[in-house]
């Protein structure tokens, strides 16, 4: 996917305008009054946001022009649904909308065929999740989604898994401070259970260097094979916090084992 293109869908990305905070507020006032010209100006002033989002899908084989068009649809939906009373920046609200629109497009064009009933269930769950997130400013649990749409959580999980695009274990999840976290870092190895006793002793000593919460997270993730989301729900913190604590714990253990 050629993300270094200057012209995408006939748009010269090098000359895209950037709106100031005052201009955004002024245009939104006009948009609420039904001014279509203001809406067009607001869209053009946020196209750089679409460009930044489609860079996240650089590993896909999709045409960059197609992704840009789909991202613009997500941007327009965000503009039409944004509530200035939410007290959040427009970009904070719009980015998940743009990402969601692109992901739906990629799922619909996935070469792996998924039954219509599974796809419908998955889309109901996605819609319910977006609706709940907008209303409560936080993501719902699988139980809350199941309750909202009247479908068992097992069916929802199965449907969501079915529409996911295949990924490589070496696909990056995020990068922080020069350290990249890959998909393989987020899953447990359930096959290699026979570690030799020297490794076991070394790991045991490294674990002692962690505080109680970090040690508990490592045990749940790598000894019990739980996902970060499952760990987050069990100990009552966010998945982002689990990821951060896990990374710090592993770094501490690696530093000890290198000595």
């Amino acid at each position: 996917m050629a993300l270094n293109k200057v012209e995408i869908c006939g748009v010269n990305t090098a000359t895209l305008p950037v709106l100031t905070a005052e201009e955004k507020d002024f245009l939104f006032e006009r948009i609420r009054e039904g001014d279509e010209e203001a809406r067009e100006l607001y869209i053009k002033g946020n196209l750089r946001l679409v460009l930044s989002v489609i860079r996240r899908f650089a590993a896909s084989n999709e045409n960059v022009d197609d992704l840009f068009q789909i991202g613009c649809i997500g941007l327009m939906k965000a503009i039409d649904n944004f509530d200035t009373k939410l007290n959040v920046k427009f970009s904070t609200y719009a980015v998940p909308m743009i990402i969601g629109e692109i992901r739906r497009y990629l799922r619909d064009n996935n070469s792996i065929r998924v039954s219509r009933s599974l796809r419908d269930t998955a889309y109901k769950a996605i819609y319910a999740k977006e609706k709940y997130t907008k209303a409560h400013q936080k993501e719902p649990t699988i139980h809350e989604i199941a309750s909202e749409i009247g479908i068992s959580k097992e069916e929802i999980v199965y449907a969501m898994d079915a529409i996911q695009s295949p990924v490589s274990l070496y696909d990056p999840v995020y990068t922080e401070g020069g350290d990249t976290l890959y998909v393989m870092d987020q899953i447990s190895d359930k096959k290699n259970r026979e570690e030799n006793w020297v490794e076991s002793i070394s790991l045991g000593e490294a674990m002692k260097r962690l505080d109680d919460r970090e040690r508990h997270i490592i045990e749940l993730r790598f000894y019990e094979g739980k996902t970060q989301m499952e760990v987050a729900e069990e100990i009552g913190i966010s998945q982002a916090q689990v990821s951060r604590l896990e990374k710090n714990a592993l770094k501490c253990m690696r530093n000890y084992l290198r000595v």
Side-chain angles (χ1 to χ4, degrees), residues 64-133:
V64 65
D65 289 353
D66 292 340
L67 291 185
F68 185 74
Q69 288 181 328
I70 300 302
C72 287
I73 293 174
L75 172 63
M76 288 186 282
K77 287 184 177 181
I79 292 172
D80 293 339
N81 291 281
F82 183 61
D83 185 354
T84 54
K85 296 177 182 177
L86 291 175
N87 199 29
V88 297
K89 292 173 61 178
F90 174 74
S91 58
T92 303
Y93 176 79
V95 167
M97 294 280 283
I98 297 170
I99 291 175
E101 200 67 32
I102 292 175
R103 282 178 174 166
R104 276 190 286 274
Y105 168 79
L106 293 176
R107 291 180 192 125
D108 287 341
N109 288 274
N110 197 341
S111 58
I112 298 175
R113 305 304 299 172
V114 179
S115 73
R116 181 57 184 270
S117 61
L118 275 179
R119 194 180 295 277
D120 287 347
T121 297
Y123 287 166
K124 286 179 182 177
I126 292 170
Y127 177 76
K129 178 181 178 182
E130 291 178 351
K131 182 179 178 182
Y132 184 97
T133 302

Side-chain angles (χ1 to χ4, degrees), residues 14-15 24 65-66 77 84 129 132 172 180 191 224 227 256:
T15 60
K24 289 179 180 179
D65 289 353
D66 292 340
K77 287 184 177 181
T84 54
K129 178 181 178 182
Y132 184 97
T180 301
K191 294 183 179 180
E224 298 184 22
T227 65
Y256 171 76

